[in-house]
């Protein structure tokens, strides 16, 4: 029952579609522009870096709040399986973000929410994820590639942490729950990025820059 509650808590929080809400404040439906995706990268491209940063922070916090509520509700009575319950909360949040019932199941791709997992699920996840994402970003400027590689590394890290006892003293079945959910999220991320993968393979993927100066420099080098 606790697992279902955590899943539902996460799903409810995931339904808070930051990019869509801010877009409506600007009198647009973000899903009608750019990549038609209700997420951070599209918000940044359509509404600017400042708006994109707000979307990023709020979407990260959605997952953080789901994890915090899980600890608040079940941390005392179920401390032994708290990492299992938190993984259900994470899964619910990303599902709610990607497939929000309030928007006809058309949401984002879950990358910012997954960043929330990185920052709030276990501190040992942070260093490798930050390094892999930003190293790839500043060398390729492909957010989709950074996201997919980060997901792959995240899955590997979760398994390593679990196998070495950093997620608590869990049974084989409880560890398997965490691994299956992490693998599910990774597969879902690849599926949600399937069009990006096609463009990456065709060398047609859109690049993202943090400043106009970097974009101009890239353009002049290409020419």
């Amino acid at each position: 029952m606790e697992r279902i509650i955590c899943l539902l808590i996460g799903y409810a929080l995931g339904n808070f579609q930051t990019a869509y809400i801010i877009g409506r404040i600007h009198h647009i439906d973000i899903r009608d522009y750019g990549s038609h995706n209700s997420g951070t990268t599209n918000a940044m491209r359509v509404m600017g870096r400042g708006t994109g940063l707000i979307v990023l922070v709020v979407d990260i916090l959605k997952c953080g709040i789901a994890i915090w509520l899980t600890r608040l509700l079940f941390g005392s009575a179920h401390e032994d399986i708290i990492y299992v319950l938190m993984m259900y909360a994470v899964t619910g949040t990303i599902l709610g973000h990607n497939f929000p019932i309030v928007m006809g199941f058309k949401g984002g791709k879950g990358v910012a929410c997954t960043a929330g997992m990185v920052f709030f699920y276990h501190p040992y996840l942070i260093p490798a994820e930050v390094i892999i994402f930003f190293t790839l970003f500043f060398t390729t400027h492909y957010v989709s590639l950074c996201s997919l590689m980060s997901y792959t590394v995240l899955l590997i890290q979760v398994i390593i942490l679990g196998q070495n006892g950093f997620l608590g003293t869990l049974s084989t079945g409880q560890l398997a729950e965490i691994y299956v959910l992490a693998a599910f999220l990774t597969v879902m991320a690849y599926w949600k990025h399937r069009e990006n993968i096609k463009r990456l393979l065709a060398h047609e993927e859109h690049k993202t820059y943090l400043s106009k100066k970097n974009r101009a420099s890239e353009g002049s080098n290409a020419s």
Side-chain angles (χ1 to χ4, degrees), residues 34-45:
S35 64
H36 308 290
N37 178 55
S38 179
T40 299
T41 304
N42 199 38
M44 183 180 295
R45 288 174 180 155

Side-chain angles (χ1 to χ4, degrees), residues 171-199:
S171 69
T172 301
Q174 290 163 346
L175 284 173
E177 284 184 78
I178 293 176
Y179 302 160
V180 168
L181 290 174
F184 167 73
L185 293 176
T186 302
V187 171
M188 182 168 61
Y190 273 82
W191 183 79
K192 292 288 286 185
H193 284 84
R194 60 195 182 280
E195 295 302 322
N196 302 86
I197 293 172
K198 291 178 184 177
R199 290 194 295 269

Side-chain angles (χ1 to χ4, degrees), residues 63-74:
C63 201
I65 292 171
I67 289 172
W68 174 74
L69 286 174
T70 298
R71 281 196 170 278
L72 182 67
L73 292 173
F74 303 111

Side-chain angles (χ1 to χ4, degrees), residues 89-122:
V90 167
T91 301
T93 307
I94 297 173
L95 281 172
H97 179 81
N98 291 356
F99 307 103
I101 192 171
V102 297
M103 291 172 58
F105 304 103
K106 185 180 179 182
K109 295 180 181 178
V111 175
C113 287
T114 305
M117 173 191 171
V118 170
F119 286 112
F120 296 103
Y121 185 75
H122 197 291

